[in-house]
Amino acid sequence: MRPSGACTAMANDARAAAEPAAVTALDRVQDLCATASRPVAFVGVIGMLVVSGVTVIDVLLRWFVGSGVTALNEITTMIFAVAVSACMPSGLARGVHVTVDVLQPWFTARLTAWLNVAGALLLFLFFAVLGWRLYLHADNLAAQDRMTIILGLPEAPFMYAAALLFAFGAVVQAVVAANAIRRAAESIRAPSGSRAAAISSRASAGAIGVAALVAALVVYVLADFAAVSQWTQDNQGFALVIAFCAMWAMLLLLVPLAAVLGLVGLGGIATVIGFQPSLTALATEAARFLTDYQIATLPLFLMMGSFAAVAGVAGDVYRLAQAVVGSLRGGLALATIAGCAGFGTVTGSSLATIATFGQISLPEMRARGYSPALATGCVAAGGNLGALIPPSGPLILFALLTEASIGQLFIAAIIPGLLAFALYSAAVMFYVRFAPSSVPPATRMQSSELAAALRQCGAVVVLFGAVIGGMYIGVFTATEAAAVGAFLAFLLALVRGRLRAGTFWQVMAETTASTALIYTLIFGALSFSFFVGVTSLPERLTGFIAELDVAPLVVVAIILLIYVALGCIMDSFAILVITVPVVTPLILFLGYDMVWWGIINLVIVEMSTLTPPFGIHVFVLKALVRDVPMAIIFKGVFSFVAADVVKIALLVLFPAITLWLPSTMFK
């Protein structure tokens, strides 16, 4: 699992060309690191599962007895601080990180190999600094004898454990970097001479020039740091422009996003407040995040989605959708949209929804005579519902970055999610109306099929009702809802006999990879966000907008267009961690609601992943249906993009669509 930019599929050949066939000693060492880090991560994830079970007991005790497990929030916080950290070494060993590889197809295999070296070394540097500073922070906690409020648990041991796990991650990344250096050295001997290689060489020369400029900038800053620091403080606006240019240059040169955000942010903070304070700020922000009660929410929902997928929920909701709308003309296309929406209620991931329904519904639609354009368009667009229908991974990330209420965001997403489902269904009907040859004649479904499908989907209704309904009526918090959902999904998979040993460890591995991916991004974003804050960029932007004296809707429209452009080369998580610290304060200054913006942010980001020429959802789908030309897939998604434009317009012009339901929540 390595989400990257839009050109991942096209870049595979270049990446493969840079890797030798022979297994070396460094390969074996890297495999050993992966083997050693895997049980550490699994212990952490199993700890998450145990905590989810205890949380269910706590909710039941509060409901029936009026008193739950004492200080469960403190226990959850401390355990998850260690559990999340435990996922990092395994994620690094598996290369689970985000890169923007949109330019990689134009690089030579040799340059790609050396850029991978630079990225691996910078990621090592970031984790090494982070582990070191977290260890010193733990020393301070021990010296102050810091305890939790209710149970009086010492905080230092948990932070020491987190710091050592980050240090272990740095060691693993050092091995990965050494292996990358070995591969790059071997690539020097690789032959090249074709016309394509000549074109790549010219593009690579430009990349080398950009890399040299970035390296020269870093050397200059380190060589005359005092002067650079003074200049930065006197010219913060211009310094920010340089920092953003350096950041994008590094991203396009295949440096992992987490390393770019973390190191650019750390360097920027240092030029404003000094090296030592910047390192202290990095550790403080990371420790504050690790001990935030909401840190447990995202991995638990990720686990819930993995267990639900193993339990066969996708097939259940697809069969129910078929039974309900299958007798209509274009019924399988409508069933795919409905199935994606239903699957989204337990996964919260657009890419997981696309991958799952690409395997379930695409073969059936194509076998029954649906046009490849409509079939692929439905799956690609349906993936957006997977992220919008709560629980939603990107919404949780938005909440973690902005301290917004996860519960309110989830409830606010329900009506926009239903609106998206209705508009996508309308898009299918319009498509069938104007291209009747794209679908076969309708077939009548038996009533017995509907009854059987309803019975099979009962567990999904209970799962969604428990998670979302529990938050809505105030029975439990978003973190408790995630714990309940994860444990119920585990029980569902267990009862259905789907949790054989290999499958269980597969779920553990998926949860580890997803947790490592997202939280590595977040730790980088914490550094970058602090840099944005100390340079007063949000205040500068709001002052600039105030001087322009333009309508707030104009500003929102410009921001939305920027998001569409970013979606061409990045996935939703990457876009959020880069833009949220900068854009959200500006939106609040314009007078808009945080919850409203969270939903708009998610909707536009997911829409951007469909748009030509580099919508990442289309490329993911292309990997599943290699025989369908890219132009056909884009033709299929066009009507759904049009539906997204209508959806965005309605949500922006009528905020009550988003904000009414959260206003009715039980407090």
Side-chain angles (χ1 to χ4, degrees):
M1 177 180 179
R2 184 181 175 180
S4 299
C7 292
T8 303
M10 293 189 292
N12 285 338
D13 292 339
R15 187 180 296 119
E19 296 192 10
V23 176
T24 66
L26 274 174
D27 285 318
R28 287 191 287 271
V29 172
Q30 186 168 335
D31 289 341
L32 180 62
C33 287
T35 302
S37 61
R38 193 177 300 120
V40 174
F42 284 178
V43 168
V45 177
I46 291 172
M48 297 179 192
L49 181 60
V50 171
V51 169
S52 70
V54 175
T55 303
V56 172
I57 295 173
D58 175 70
V59 171
L60 293 175
L61 288 175
R62 292 204 318 262
W63 186 262
F64 293 108
V65 182
S67 177
V69 179
T70 303
L72 180 60
N73 60 331
E74 290 185 354
I75 298 172
T76 299
T77 298
M78 293 297 107
I79 290 177
F80 268 81
V82 179
V84 167
S85 303
C87 293
M88 297 300 167
S90 180
L92 291 170
R94 296 172 59 182
V96 177
H97 48 71
V98 174
T99 57
V100 179
D101 54 7
V102 66
L103 297 183
Q104 184 175 336
W106 287 274
F107 296 159
T108 62
R110 189 174 304 161
L111 177 63
T112 297
W114 284 107
L115 290 177
N116 287 336
V117 168
L121 289 172
L122 290 174
L123 196 59
F124 158 73
L125 177 61
F126 178 60
F127 267 84
V129 171
L130 191 55
W132 166 48
R133 298 308 301 188
L134 280 175
Y135 190 87
L136 295 181
H137 182 76
D139 276 344
N140 289 334
L141 293 178
Q144 298 169 15
D145 199 24
R146 288 274 295 275
M147 304 281 185
T148 61
I149 296 174
I150 300 174
L151 294 179
L153 295 173
E155 295 182 13
F158 295 95
M159 197 54 60
Y160 276 127
L164 291 174
L165 288 166
F166 272 87
F168 181 25
V171 172
V172 170
Q173 185 59 30
V175 173
V176 173
N179 216 358
I181 293 172
R182 190 262 307 168
R183 289 194 183 101
E186 291 181 353
S187 72
I188 295 176
R189 298 190 296 271
S192 61
S194 65
R195 184 171 181 272
I199 296 173
S200 294
S201 296
R202 289 193 290 271
S204 297
I208 292 171
V210 173
L213 285 176
V214 174
L217 176 64
V218 173
V219 170
Y220 176 73
V221 170
L222 293 175
D224 197 1
F225 183 78
V228 171
S229 179
Q230 185 60 53
W231 181 87
T232 300
Q233 295 174 40
D234 295 337
N235 304 272
Q236 290 188 7
F238 194 51
L240 278 168
V241 173
I242 295 175
F244 272 96
C245 290
M247 181 185 77
W248 277 103
M250 293 168 70
L251 285 176
L252 293 174
L253 293 175
L254 308 183
V255 179
L257 176 58
V260 173
L261 291 173
L263 295 177
V264 169
L266 185 61
I269 298 168
T271 59
V272 178
I273 64 176
F275 265 121
Q276 189 62 34
S278 68
L279 293 171
T280 301
L282 175 65
T284 302
E285 289 295 298
R288 180 189 61 80
F289 178 76
L290 279 172
T291 53
D292 186 336
Y293 179 57
Q294 292 193 119
I295 190 178
T297 309
L298 186 51
L300 286 174
F301 273 126
L302 293 172
M303 186 185 297
M304 170 183 160
S306 295
F307 278 127
V310 166
V313 165
D316 293 343
V317 296
Y318 185 55
R319 282 188 291 273
L320 177 60
Q322 277 184 288
V324 173
V325 298
S327 59
L328 300 175
R329 188 165 174 83
L332 281 186
L334 292 171
T336 298
I337 298 297
C340 289
F343 191 57
T345 63
V346 291
T347 59
S349 168
S350 55
L351 293 179
T353 303
I354 290 174
T356 302
F357 276 83
Q359 296 171 352
I360 292 176
S361 65
L362 268 181
E364 188 163 356
M365 279 195 287
R366 297 184 68 184
R368 296 197 185 188
Y370 281 73
S371 72
L374 178 59
T376 54
C378 287
V379 174
N384 287 0
L385 293 173
L388 182 56
I389 300 288
S392 166
L395 278 183
I396 297 174
L397 178 59
F398 178 87
L400 292 174
L401 294 173
T402 61
E403 300 183 1
S405 167
I406 296 176
Q408 287 192 343
L409 285 168
F410 279 4
I411 300 303
I414 292 176
I415 294 180
L418 294 174
L419 175 64
F421 169 69
L423 289 172
Y424 282 175
S425 299
V428 170
M429 295 168 69
F430 275 111
Y431 196 107
V432 172
R433 175 71 178 273
F434 292 103
S437 61
S438 62
V439 298
T443 56
R444 183 171 296 278
M445 307 296 291
Q446 300 295 323
S447 58
S448 58
E449 295 181 52
L450 176 59
L454 283 171
R455 285 194 300 271
Q456 198 69 15
C457 272
V460 180
V461 174
V462 171
L463 188 58
F464 179 75
V467 171
I468 303 302
M471 281 190 291
Y472 180 76
I473 64 176
V475 173
F476 37 67
T477 65
T479 302
E480 291 169 340
V484 170
F487 194 72
L488 290 180
F490 164 72
L491 291 180
L492 177 61
L494 189 64
V495 169
R496 290 186 171 183
R498 303 291 183 88
L499 274 187
R500 301 176 183 86
T503 307
F504 178 78
W505 295 118
Q506 177 187 342
V507 172
M508 297 296 101
E510 288 176 358
T511 305
T512 295
S514 300
T515 301
L517 168 71
I518 296 169
Y519 282 96
T520 299
L521 284 178
I522 291 176
F523 287 115
L526 291 174
S527 174
F528 184 71
S529 298
F530 196 88
F531 170 49
V532 168
V534 296
T535 54
S536 303
L537 175 59
E539 291 81 357
R540 293 170 183 269
L541 283 177
T542 54
F544 175 72
I545 296 299
E547 291 178 1
L548 290 179
D549 193 27
V550 296
L553 275 178
V554 175
V555 180
V556 171
I558 294 172
I559 292 173
L560 295 181
L561 290 174
I562 293 172
Y563 272 102
V564 171
L566 289 175
C568 290
I569 58 173
M570 310 177 83
D571 68 2
S572 55
F573 287 109
I575 295 172
L576 288 174
V577 296
I578 289 176
T579 61
V580 164
V582 178
V583 174
T584 301
L586 175 58
I587 293 296
L588 296 180
F589 166 78
L590 294 174
Y592 291 104
D593 185 89
M594 173 81 79
V595 172
W596 173 84
W597 175 243
I599 302 301
I600 297 295
N601 207 338
L602 173 61
V603 169
I604 191 64
V605 166
E606 291 299 324
M607 171 188 163
S608 69
T609 59
L610 282 182
T611 52
F614 296 121
I616 190 171
H617 284 182
V618 178
F619 280 82
V620 171
L621 194 59
K622 173 62 178 174
L624 298 176
V625 285
R626 297 183 181 275
D627 60 320
V628 179
M630 190 69 71
I632 296 296
I633 301 178
F634 275 124
K635 177 184 175 183
V637 302
F638 178 79
S639 57
F640 297 102
V641 172
D644 277 333
V645 172
V646 174
K647 176 178 60 180
I648 285 285
L650 290 173
L651 294 177
V652 170
L653 295 175
F654 304 102
I657 296 174
T658 300
L659 298 177
W660 172 74
L661 197 56
S663 69
T664 66
M665 290 177 67
F666 290 80
K667 303 302 182 183

